[in-house]
Amino acid sequence: MGSLFFRVHVDSPLHSADTGIFLMGKPAKRKSKAPSTEDAPHTPPVFKGSFKHKHLRKHASLLRGGNCEGFLISASSYGTETRAFAQCLAFVNAYLPILYPASKLPEPNTEDDIDEDGDDDEKNEMDGKEGKKSGRGFQFVDAGCLGVFFMRIVNGINPVEFLMKFYDHVDAITDPREKLKVASNLSYTSRFIPIETCCVPNMIDLRQHAESFLSGKWEKFGLDKGGSEKTLAVVCEARNNEELKRDEIIKMVAGLIPSHLKVKLTDPDFVIMVQVFKSVVGLSFVPRQGYHSKLKRFNLAAYMNKK
């Protein structure tokens, strides 16, 4: 027996107000409309269904090509990842020429410039190696964790240095309204965690990688000689990885600190950051006091809103 159609003239729970037609007691489905952008200007939405496939490179690509400098970025809340993605894109494009005015930087990136073939590993690797030639300053990579993605910098700029310059730039702003304006442009992001180098998540490789990485930092900041009264702390955070234990990582990294340097957990002079996210371990060295109290754990919006 075929479907039965008839027209009604009264509203009811099963009545379609637009057509007044039933289909076997079920109203016709309406197509969902695109979300409004009035609440977040300058942050064009990216539909979640195609977000990961079109805009994020594979997580495993972080350990290929020898370049893993960038930012581990967390969204302000679940469901705002696409907005945070667009804000980060605009933020880095806007501040690279401001913080590095004398540098030869790639042309500003746009969402249309991002390679949509996220599953083509060979092409991704080539783009990573030829980032300077193709004019791309950065790439977005799947971090393998909910609400978090990775922004890889491929133009040679150090992510820690970039954030230190940005902090100094914000501190130089005297108008509170201007600071609020800058903060509103990052309203959907929570933290910009700098990552200077990466390795695979096992204790043997991590120890070798951390020892090589930190030896260069000791020499760069004059910490390799005795008599220094500088203090350090080790901060470790883990996401979506149950193999590595946070306490074991901290103990191992602390053992690499020269004996003439002191460990201080409250406002140390330097912070060694270890970020574990799925199958990647990121390391960075922060040469500034106040990781918690002043830098707000790299929550840029909170830093700009502080009194």
Side-chain angles (χ1 to χ4, degrees), residues 29-51:
K29 294 183 177 179
R30 300 179 186 176
K31 293 184 178 180
S32 59
K33 296 181 180 180
S36 173
T37 58
E38 295 179 356
D39 60 330
H42 312 302
T43 56
V46 182
F47 293 102
K48 291 182 182 179
S50 60
F51 172 65

Side-chain angles (χ1 to χ4, degrees), residues 218 223-232 253-263:
W218 307 145
L223 303 176
D224 54 340
K225 300 178 182 179
S228 175
E229 297 181 356
K230 299 294 184 179
T231 58
L232 296 96
V253 175
L256 301 177
I257 298 176
S259 58
H260 61 272
L261 299 176
K262 298 180 180 180
V263 175

Side-chain angles (χ1 to χ4, degrees), residues 268-288:
D269 297 310
F270 301 91
V271 173
I272 303 170
M273 295 181 60
V274 183
Q275 298 288 331
V276 183
F277 49 106
K278 198 177 179 180
S279 58
V280 175
V281 180
L283 297 169
S284 54
F285 191 84
V286 182
R288 187 167 295 192

Side-chain angles (χ1 to χ4, degrees), residues 24-218:
M24 294 299 291
K26 296 181 178 180
K29 294 183 177 179
R30 300 179 186 176
K31 293 184 178 180
S32 59
K33 296 181 180 180
S36 173
T37 58
E38 295 179 356
D39 60 330
H42 312 302
T43 56
V46 182
F47 293 102
K48 291 182 182 179
S50 60
F51 172 65
K52 181 175 179 178
H53 175 70
K54 288 187 176 182
H55 297 274
L56 298 182
R57 297 167 186 267
K58 282 189 174 182
H59 180 71
S61 67
L62 287 172
L63 297 175
R64 302 193 187 113
N67 174 26
C68 191
E69 289 185 318
F71 304 102
L72 187 63
I73 301 171
S74 59
S76 58
S77 62
Y78 172 71
T80 63
E81 297 92 335
T82 59
R83 294 290 190 186
F85 170 83
Q87 285 187 336
C88 295
L89 198 65
F91 169 73
V92 176
N93 277 328
Y95 281 96
L96 274 177
I98 295 176
L99 303 179
Y100 296 87
S103 301
K104 295 181 179 179
L105 299 174
E107 293 296 325
N109 200 354
T110 64
E111 285 187 317
D112 293 335
D113 292 333
I114 299 175
D115 179 24
E116 294 188 359
D117 191 4
D119 292 330
D120 190 342
D121 289 340
E122 183 177 355
K123 192 175 190 310
N124 289 345
E125 292 180 18
M126 292 300 296
D127 284 346
K129 295 177 182 178
E130 300 178 357
K132 295 181 181 179
K133 296 181 180 180
S134 64
R136 297 179 180 181
F138 44 88
Q139 303 164 347
F140 289 90
V141 186
D142 179 17
C145 309
L146 186 65
V148 182
F149 56 89
F150 190 88
M151 177 189 285
R152 170 191 268 158
I153 299 177
V154 294
N155 56 14
I157 290 178
N158 183 279
V160 174
E161 181 185 72
F162 176 89
L163 288 179
M164 296 302 104
K165 286 179 176 288
F166 177 75
Y167 280 127
D168 293 338
H169 172 77
V170 172
D171 291 340
I173 299 176
T174 57
D175 188 355
R177 293 173 297 180
E178 184 65 22
K179 286 188 177 183
L180 291 176
K181 182 179 178 180
V182 177
S184 66
N185 293 331
L186 292 172
S187 58
Y188 288 96
T189 63
S190 178
R191 298 174 67 193
F192 260 74
I193 304 173
I195 302 294
E196 295 185 90
T197 185
C198 295
C199 67
V200 294
N202 66 70
M203 293 299 292
I204 296 177
D205 288 332
L206 176 56
R207 181 181 181 84
Q208 295 176 350
H209 202 77
E211 188 172 9
S212 175
F213 171 72
L214 291 175
S215 63
K217 298 299 180 181
W218 307 145

